[in-house]
């Protein structure tokens, strides 16, 4: 069994819909301050425009740790 971690960044778009950005394998020692900084940079520099909609605010962020069990099915 292996673990898979993702950093999930949740933003609010100008149309008030949520946008989730999921990043695989975040650093183990990433800090809340670093996460806030990168999220603010994404907004300030207008790096991502999902469906042509500007991101206007930070909603939240979380690290999700998932256990994965792979099966060898002989395929």
């Amino acid at each position: 069994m292996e673990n898979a971690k993702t950093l999930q960044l949740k933003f609010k778009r100008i149309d008030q819909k949520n946008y989730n950005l999921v990043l695989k394998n975040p650093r183990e020692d990433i800090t809340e301050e670093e996460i806030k900084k990168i999220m603010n940079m994404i907004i300030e520099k207008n790096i991502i425009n999902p469906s042509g909609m500007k991101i206007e605010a930070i909603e939240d962020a979380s690290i999700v740790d998932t256990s994965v069990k792979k099966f060898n099915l002989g395929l």
Side-chain angles (χ1 to χ4, degrees), residues 7-23:
L7 172 58
Q8 299 185 355
L9 308 176
K10 186 176 176 182
F11 296 92
K12 185 69 75 176
R13 301 183 334 187
I14 60 171
D15 62 356
Q16 298 306 303
K17 291 184 180 179
N18 290 329
Y19 174 72
N20 297 309
L21 178 62
V22 179
L23 305 171

Side-chain angles (χ1 to χ4, degrees), residues 1-74:
M1 196 168 313
E2 67 183 60
N3 286 354
K5 288 187 180 182
T6 57
L7 172 58
Q8 299 185 355
L9 308 176
K10 186 176 176 182
F11 296 92
K12 185 69 75 176
R13 301 183 334 187
I14 60 171
D15 62 356
Q16 298 306 303
K17 291 184 180 179
N18 290 329
Y19 174 72
N20 297 309
L21 178 62
V22 179
L23 305 171
K24 294 180 182 179
N25 303 316
R27 275 192 0 247
E28 289 292 328
D29 63 343
I30 194 164
T31 65
E32 190 172 319
E33 190 58 39
E34 289 173 314
I35 293 169
K36 284 180 189 176
K37 186 176 179 179
I38 192 70
M39 292 179 82
N40 280 320
M41 185 178 74
I42 288 169
I43 293 169
E44 289 168 9
K45 296 194 180 277
N46 202 24
I47 293 172
I48 300 171
N49 286 300
S51 300
M53 296 289 170
K54 184 176 179 180
I55 293 173
E56 70 173 1
I58 293 173
E59 283 291 303
D60 64 34
S62 57
I63 292 180
V64 177
D65 190 353
T66 306
S67 294
V68 178
K69 182 176 181 179
K70 294 185 178 184
F71 295 96
N72 184 0
L73 302 177

